[in-house]
Amino acid sequence: MEGKPDVTVTSANRKFAAITGSGRKIRDNAADWHNLMLKWEKLNEDGLSAATNIVNIRRSLVEELPSSSSSSSSLFAGGAAELQDECSKLQYVVDKLVVVVMKMERLMRLQQGIQDLDEFQFGPEGRMCPLFHTWKTGQFESTSRFLLDIFSKELKLKQTILQELAHTASADLCMVYLSCWLHQPFVPPQTRMTLEALLLETGHRSV
Amino acid sequence: MSRPTFTPLRQALVKSFQTLESNQKLWASALSECSPLMASLGNLAEQSRALSKVHIPDTPLGTFPDLEQRLRFKLLQAMDTVLGKLNEKMSSLQSVRDAISNQVSTVFQLYEQNRDVLDLPTVTKRSATSPSIADMMEWLQDAERHYQQQFLRRTVLLQMLRADDLSLLESAPKRWKSLESPSAEENITDILCKVSFFMESQ
C-alpha cells in the first residue's frame, strides 16, 4: 500500500523525520542543497579575498616595474612568488567549487531517479497525493534543475575569472572581474527564496 | 522673586542637558555606522564605472551573453540595500534631532509662560557653579541648531544621489565626510562640562 503512508505524512503538523522511501530521499536532498549552497557562499568569500590580493599584488608589481634597479628586482621576485601563492589559493577555491557543482549534479540525478520511479509507480501523472505539503514530485525536480543551472553557469564564470585575472592589465577589467566574483551575476535574487521554499516544503523549516 | 516660579524652568533645563548628553552618544554611534555604508556605496559606484568603461563582448567574458545586464542589476540591487540601511541610520539621526528639539522647545515655552517673573537680573544671574539661565538657553539653542543643520545637510546629500549619476555617487563618501564638524561636537561637549555642576546641584 503505497498511498497510505502518504496520507499520514501530509498532515501539516507532523515532522517528517521518520519517513522512508522517496520522501526520505527528497528530504535528505533538500538538506544537501542547503549545505552545498552554504559551502558555496563560504568558498565565494575565500575566493574573493584571494582574487582581491591577486589584483593588488599585480598592481604594485606593475608600479615597480619601471625602476629596474637590483633592489627592486628582488622585490619583484618576492611579489611574483606572492602572486603565484594567491593564484594557487584561488585555484584551490575553484577546484572546491567544481566539487560542489559535481555534488549538485549528483543531487539532480537522484531527483531525476525519484521522478522516474514516481512515473513508473503511478503513471505519467505521478502520484496524486503529495509527498509533503503541496508539491508534486516533479516540482522537486524542476527546483533542483533551476538551482543546478544557476550554479553551473556561475562556476563557468568563476573559471573564466580564474584564468584571466592575473593576466589582465586593464584596471577596469580587473574591477569587473572582482565585482563579478563578489556579486555572482548568474545567481538571481530568487535563489534563496527557492531554497527556502524547498526547505519549507520538506519540513526542514516549520510552517 | 519667589523661587518656585522658575523651578520648572530649571528642571526643564536639567532635563534638556540630560537629553543632550545621552543623545550626543546616540548621534555619534549612528553616524559612525554610516561611514562604512557610505564607503561601500562609493565602492559600488566605482564598480559600476568600471563596468561602463569595459566593453564586455571584447573581453574573455564575452562568452557570457547577458552578463553585463545581470551584473548591473546586481550592482543596483546592492546599492539599494546600502541605501536602505543608510535610511535606517538617518531615522536614528532624525529621532536624536527630534528628541533634542522637543526638549529645547519645552524650555523656551516655559520661559515664555514665566516671562513676567523672570526679569533680566534673574535670567542673567550666575554663580561659580551655575551658569545663568540666559546662557544655558543660548547653548541649548546652539546645540539644537547644530543637529538640525547636520541632519538636513546629510539628508539633502542622500536625496541628491541617483543610480545613474556615477560621479555623484563616487564623490558621496568624501562629501559625507566633509560634513563632519568636530568643532561643533566639541562645543557641545564643552557645554555639557559647563553645566555639570549645575546639573549635580539640582
Side-chain angles (χ1 to χ4, degrees):
Chain A
M1 282 300 282
E2 195 57 40
K4 214 168 179 202
D6 287 346
V7 177
T8 50
V9 292
T10 45
S11 81
N13 299 334
R14 173 142 178 206
K15 292 269 173 248
F16 304 110
I19 49 172
T20 53
S22 296
R24 177 59 186 266
K25 206 79 200 155
I26 290 176
R27 193 179 136 86
D28 290 352
N29 281 357
D32 284 347
W33 270 114
H34 176 250
N35 293 336
L36 287 174
M37 281 166 70
L38 271 186
K39 201 165 180 190
W40 177 281
E41 284 309 317
K42 174 78 183 60
L43 287 167
N44 196 47
E45 273 171 36
D46 296 349
L48 182 68
S49 65
T52 315
N53 289 342
I54 290 173
V55 171
N56 288 339
I57 294 169
R58 247 197 72 97
R59 194 179 296 161
S60 60
L61 285 183
V62 170
E63 277 164 10
E64 277 162 23
L65 209 54
S67 59
S68 52
S69 66
S70 58
S71 65
S72 76
S73 78
S74 66
L75 217 85
F76 187 80
E82 221 182 312
L83 185 62
Q84 185 59 47
D85 195 38
E86 290 298 327
C87 285
S88 320
K89 273 189 204 161
L90 192 61
Q91 175 76 56
Y92 175 77
V93 168
V94 171
D95 288 346
K96 288 266 189 176
L97 288 174
V98 171
V99 174
V100 169
V101 171
M102 267 165 54
K103 285 182 179 164
M104 287 176 172
E105 276 163 4
R106 205 181 127 259
L107 285 182
M108 179 67 227
R109 279 200 301 279
L110 269 169
Q111 203 59 58
Q112 179 74 52
I114 295 168
Q115 170 73 7
D116 288 347
L117 177 66
D118 216 54
E119 275 174 30
F120 174 73
Q121 285 178 320
F122 302 97
E125 290 290 303
R127 64 179 76 223
M128 293 314 290
C129 199
L131 276 164
F132 298 95
H133 296 296
T134 56
W135 286 18
K136 289 188 138 282
T137 316
Q139 277 174 281
F140 292 104
E141 196 209 346
S142 58
T143 303
S144 297
R145 194 179 299 283
F146 173 76
L147 293 174
L148 177 63
D149 277 353
I150 288 170
F151 288 102
S152 310
K153 267 197 200 148
E154 196 57 46
L155 178 64
K156 277 204 195 97
L157 177 61
K158 292 204 186 307
Q159 284 169 325
T160 312
I161 296 174
L162 168 69
Q163 279 163 18
E164 301 296 332
L165 192 62
H167 307 288
T168 305
S170 146
D172 286 327
L173 189 53
C174 279
M175 179 66 106
V176 172
Y177 284 138
L178 287 183
S179 70
C180 276
W181 188 287
L182 172 65
H183 296 290
Q184 315 206 76
F186 291 106
V187 180
Q190 65 267 37
T191 313
R192 183 78 220 166
M193 292 301 280
T194 308
L195 177 70
E196 285 301 321
L198 182 63
L199 294 177
L200 195 66
E201 175 69 20
T202 50
H204 289 287
R205 296 259 192 274
S206 53
V207 185
Chain B
M1 182 54 48
S2 62
R3 195 178 158 77
T5 43
F6 59 97
T7 302
L9 181 60
R10 284 184 174 274
Q11 280 169 347
L13 280 167
V14 169
K15 201 149 180 248
S16 296
F17 288 117
Q18 281 166 347
T19 312
L20 188 60
E21 193 171 15
S22 57
N23 277 285
Q24 189 194 25
K25 291 189 190 96
L26 286 178
W27 177 275
S29 80
L31 208 54
S32 69
E33 285 162 21
C34 287
S35 310
L37 292 173
M38 287 309 288
S40 51
L41 197 63
N43 192 268
L44 286 167
E46 237 177 277
Q47 292 179 45
S48 303
R49 168 82 73 198
L51 182 59
S52 306
K53 281 201 210 155
V54 172
H55 189 237
I56 295 284
D58 297 343
T59 68
L61 295 174
T63 45
F64 300 92
D66 45 359
L67 180 82
E68 190 177 342
Q69 291 92 313
R70 281 174 179 272
L71 185 56
R72 206 169 281 288
F73 168 72
K74 282 279 184 159
L75 288 171
L76 283 175
Q77 199 194 19
M79 278 187 208
D80 221 42
T81 315
V82 173
L83 284 172
K85 283 185 192 158
L86 274 169
N87 212 14
E88 279 170 31
K89 301 290 164 226
M90 286 311 284
S91 24
S92 320
L93 294 183
Q94 188 174 7
S95 59
V96 168
R97 181 204 66 173
D98 291 347
I100 293 171
S101 294
N102 285 343
Q103 276 305 322
V104 175
S105 62
T106 311
V107 168
F108 276 79
Q109 246 172 15
L110 273 171
Y111 171 74
E112 291 293 331
Q113 282 162 11
N114 298 301
R115 245 166 98 158
D116 32 352
V117 285
L118 290 161
D119 52 8
L120 200 58
T122 314
V123 292
T124 54
K125 191 184 147 221
R126 61 179 170 199
S127 66
T129 53
S130 164
S132 69
I133 292 176
D135 276 343
M136 288 195 280
M137 284 174 71
E138 187 190 334
W139 296 336
L140 280 179
Q141 231 169 8
D142 287 345
E144 186 198 7
R145 192 173 47 244
H146 165 64
Y147 288 113
Q148 174 75 359
Q149 261 181 4
Q150 278 283 311
F151 177 71
L152 285 179
R153 285 188 184 151
R154 290 180 194 275
T155 311
V156 167
L157 197 159
L158 287 181
Q159 278 178 352
M160 268 167 31
L161 299 178
R162 292 280 171 277
D164 47 2
D165 192 341
L166 288 179
S167 54
L168 205 60
L169 278 170
E170 277 168 327
S171 64
K174 235 185 195 163
R175 288 191 296 140
W176 182 268
K177 206 168 161 38
S178 76
L179 290 180
E180 272 173 21
S181 106
S183 62
E185 285 295 330
E186 263 169 45
N187 200 13
I188 288 172
T189 314
D190 278 352
I191 291 172
L192 290 170
C193 287
K194 283 187 229 164
V195 296
S196 56
F197 284 123
F198 164 73
M199 305 262 280
E200 278 164 28
S201 68
Q202 290 301 303

